[in-house]
Amino acid sequence: MKSPSIMLRLHLLFILYSVSNIFSKLAASEVFLSVRFCINYFMAILFLGAYAIGWQQIIKRMPLTTAFANKAVTVIWGLIFGALWFQERVTVGKLLGASLVVCGVVLFAREDGKNGET
């Protein structure tokens, strides 16, 4: 069974990854090489760099398949951040898709836990 603290760190890392995408989208809406573009692009790179370092630490401590399966929850953060920062619509279809993602992660985690106990 995976340590709850490593799973918490993994999911906090995914939030960091998702925030980098916010800065990427903000940069994309600016004029290329303008001050605002450069600031947002720098922030995206900064967050991605922190994510990359954290990811290396996480995969030392857990199976890669588990880490990647959990990465699917970034869909949830994308849905939340898209609605909060960019006023994107949250539709029933998006909620159903996000629910399927969460169910898949839960099923994978349960199966992974069973395999780890044997």
Side-chain angles (χ1 to χ4, degrees):
M1 177 142 192
K2 308 299 169 285
S3 160
S5 76
I6 194 75
M7 292 302 285
L8 176 61
R9 284 185 279 176
L10 176 65
H11 286 272
L12 289 173
L13 195 61
F14 292 147
I15 293 171
L16 187 72
Y17 175 78
S18 297
V19 170
S20 75
N21 290 317
I22 292 171
F23 287 110
S24 292
K25 184 164 179 156
L26 289 171
S29 67
E30 299 295 336
V31 175
F32 183 65
L33 293 180
S34 67
V35 172
R36 293 177 92 171
F37 171 88
C38 290
I39 290 170
N40 286 319
Y41 196 71
F42 173 77
M43 293 301 291
I45 291 171
L46 184 71
F47 275 78
L48 280 174
Y51 165 78
I53 292 168
W55 180 253
Q56 294 302 314
Q57 297 307 307
I58 291 292
I59 61 174
K60 279 199 265 184
R61 293 170 175 81
M62 71 182 343
L64 190 59
T65 55
T66 303
F68 267 109
N70 279 272
K71 193 171 185 179
V73 299
T74 59
V75 170
I76 307 299
W77 291 112
L79 189 66
I80 292 168
F81 291 153
L84 291 175
W85 270 278
F86 303 106
Q87 289 71 48
E88 295 175 358
R89 291 187 58 224
V90 177
T91 64
V92 172
K94 288 178 183 178
L95 288 174
L96 286 173
S99 298
L100 285 173
V101 167
V102 170
C103 288
V105 169
V106 168
L107 287 172
F108 186 91
R110 286 180 134 186
E111 189 63 29
D112 196 41
K114 287 179 190 174
N115 289 338
E117 293 170 3
T118 57

